[in-house]
Amino acid sequence: MSNAVGTLRIQLLGPVRAWWDGQEVAAGPPQQRALLGLLASRAGEAVGREAVIEALWGGHAPRTAANGVHTYVAGLRRVLEPRHDGRSPNSVLTSEPGGYRLRVHPDAVDAAAFVLRHDDARRSRERGDGAATARLYEEALALWKGDAFSGIPGPFAALEGARLRDARLTAVEEWGAVMVAAGRHGEAVGGLSRAAAEEPLRERLRWLLMLALCRGGRQADSLRLYAETRRLLRRELGIEPGPELRDLHRQILDGRAEPAVRRALATPAGADTGRASVARGAGAATPLPRPAQLPSAVSGFTGRGRELEKLERLVGADRRAAGPAATVVLVQGPAGVGKSALVLRLAHAVSDRFPDGQVYVDLGGSGLRGRPLNAADAQRQVLTSLGVDGGRIPRDLVGSTALYRSLLYDQRMLVVLDDALSADQIRPLIPRGPSGVVATSRQRLAGLAARDGARTVTLGPLDEDAATLLLTTLTDGWLEGRVATARRLAALCGGLPLALRVLAERLTAAGEPPERLLERCASEPGRLDCLAVPDDALADVRSAFEASYQVLPAEAARMFRHLGMYRRGRITVRVAAALAGTDLPTARALLDVLVDAHLIEECGLRYRLPELLGVYAAECAQREPTAARQAALARLGALASPPRPRAPAAHGPWR
């Protein structure tokens, strides 16, 4: 970051370090450097306090974790803004509603600079400029000063370090292919040998090294490398080399390795870089079981034709022609809007495009089925279903991620991740190769789009016609000839499919007359009571909203309660600030948190509470003490009433 007071530079590709105006500063103890690494890897993004605690301690957070985070933030602020006067707001490490944001330019973080230079090298490779491409790859790789996040504790550092390490090895492989194609075999052998020694089970590296040795006139060394690789794979994993290595070995023996040079140059960037698959049996490839884990699609599906068509275009293309990265699509929207129903309808519609199977994981982000599933447990669930013995699944997330991606590499498999709470649940479950990933979430996971290339589809309530059609379809004739009643009932459900389905169940199963149900639903205090199936939290609109509310940061939850006191239409930032008793910037930031949680809607420069969420917010407002509610309404009244003009001052002798 460069400004009037200095320049900040942060290193993640090696030990985590920081420099201010060219002078290294003490980044503090390991946990403080772990926090710096987390915030720097997400530069410009707000990171919640709960996410910080999870990243630093995982499931072993001490009771003092929250206080520890405050201490580390204060320490980093002293380090990152050494000339701060202590009175003005911090400008580098800022506080956000429920978390923190590191405001630095991506170029200030070496990991981000590596990604940018790597992308430049790939584009140059596509243009066929060999000399420039090699130079760009070397510039990118020169940024590395050791293992990423070296010596940093915590699950985030382990996972992010492994991800970056994989990205570096991919870049080395691509550089090696460029060097072999350019005839610079000696240089290629040196770089590929070092990388292969670091990652001996990475078959792509050894394939390229064999090719470089052969093309450099060292056929005997190339054949010895193959024999060594075969012994290593048999000893470590009990398997034979993969088909690419075996084919190259035969070509070298037959004296016809020349076609492999063209193949090395033509291989798409980021081709197979996974570990040797443990699913292969010794001497032959054992196919993975073909999973068919999709739950049944819901009945009476209607009103989502445009969204379904868009998703089919994004997900359902023939993946055989796709690049190395799996297609990732995120369907986001408020509770009860029908995200899971839409995604399951999509998954069944495109299942024939994914002949290697369909995997389904309920991540439980809403908490309605208990504690959300973490990424490691989700991977274990998938790996077990693919026939991997539980004893062979690494206990750490880094190891299980490597195994998961290796098994799914080059598989055309559809992975459905339902009800995600955060991007960190999804990222380790994104395979490489021609697979597709479809996830749902109540949260706006902007980082998944920015960093992982996810395409997002936001789902809103059904319009009046579609909502009425769904309700009449589900009630099997109960609303026949009662068009006006059906429309009013659908409107009271706010277009939410969950509410419409619960209402249909009350009409058909309980046999409640539509007019009586309409009368009960028309009253706000009892409306949510009508939209619940007894003893089933998954079919309870209030429970669905409550789950979204419970994961809010405390300040945002308080703002939501205060918004429930305002039922006069659109909400301005000034109204929100008056209700909550905050300044305008804080109010705007808290409203943005609620928008990201899909608890309010943004309408230009204003905001609104959707129909049923407005009813729920009014209920939440009652959790505020009476005095707090009265004070909030008084502040709102003062905002609405212009100040009375002062009486003119008296003048003259009659004063």
Side-chain angles (χ1 to χ4, degrees), residues 301 304 331 334-344 440 459-460 496-498:
F301 185 85
R304 298 298 190 192
V331 178
V337 81
K339 301 179 293 295
S340 299
L342 174 63
V343 163
L344 287 176
T440 71
L459 211 56
L496 282 186
L498 174 61

Side-chain angles (χ1 to χ4, degrees), residues 649-655:
H651 296 285
W654 59 85
R655 181 177 178 179

Side-chain angles (χ1 to χ4, degrees), residues 457-587:
V457 174
T458 301
L459 211 56
L462 295 171
D463 61 33
E464 183 180 1
D465 290 340
T468 304
L469 176 60
L470 177 59
L471 184 60
T472 54
T473 300
L474 294 172
T475 51
D476 296 327
W478 276 82
L479 292 172
E480 186 175 352
R482 294 163 160 159
V483 178
T485 300
R487 283 190 173 276
R488 290 183 64 192
L489 284 170
L492 290 173
C493 290
L496 282 186
L498 174 61
L500 292 162
R501 290 180 179 278
V502 173
L503 203 62
E505 192 278 337
R506 293 186 73 99
L507 286 168
T508 55
E512 190 166 355
E515 287 75 17
R516 184 186 303 172
L517 188 58
L518 177 60
E519 183 180 349
R520 292 177 57 194
C521 288
S523 172
E524 274 200 7
R527 190 182 308 176
L528 295 183
D529 293 331
C530 297
L531 301 176
V533 174
D535 302 320
D536 189 349
L538 298 179
D540 184 334
V541 173
R542 181 185 284 112
S543 295
F545 291 161
E546 180 73 14
S548 295
Y549 169 82
Q550 287 296 334
V551 299
L552 289 173
E555 299 94 328
R558 178 178 177 274
M559 173 62 82
F560 184 74
R561 294 193 298 272
H562 281 75
L563 294 182
M565 305 176 197
Y566 186 83
R567 303 307 304 278
R568 306 178 195 170
R570 302 291 172 91
I571 303 166
T572 65
V573 177
R574 291 189 64 189
V575 165
L579 283 168
T582 67
D583 56 38
L584 294 179
T586 300

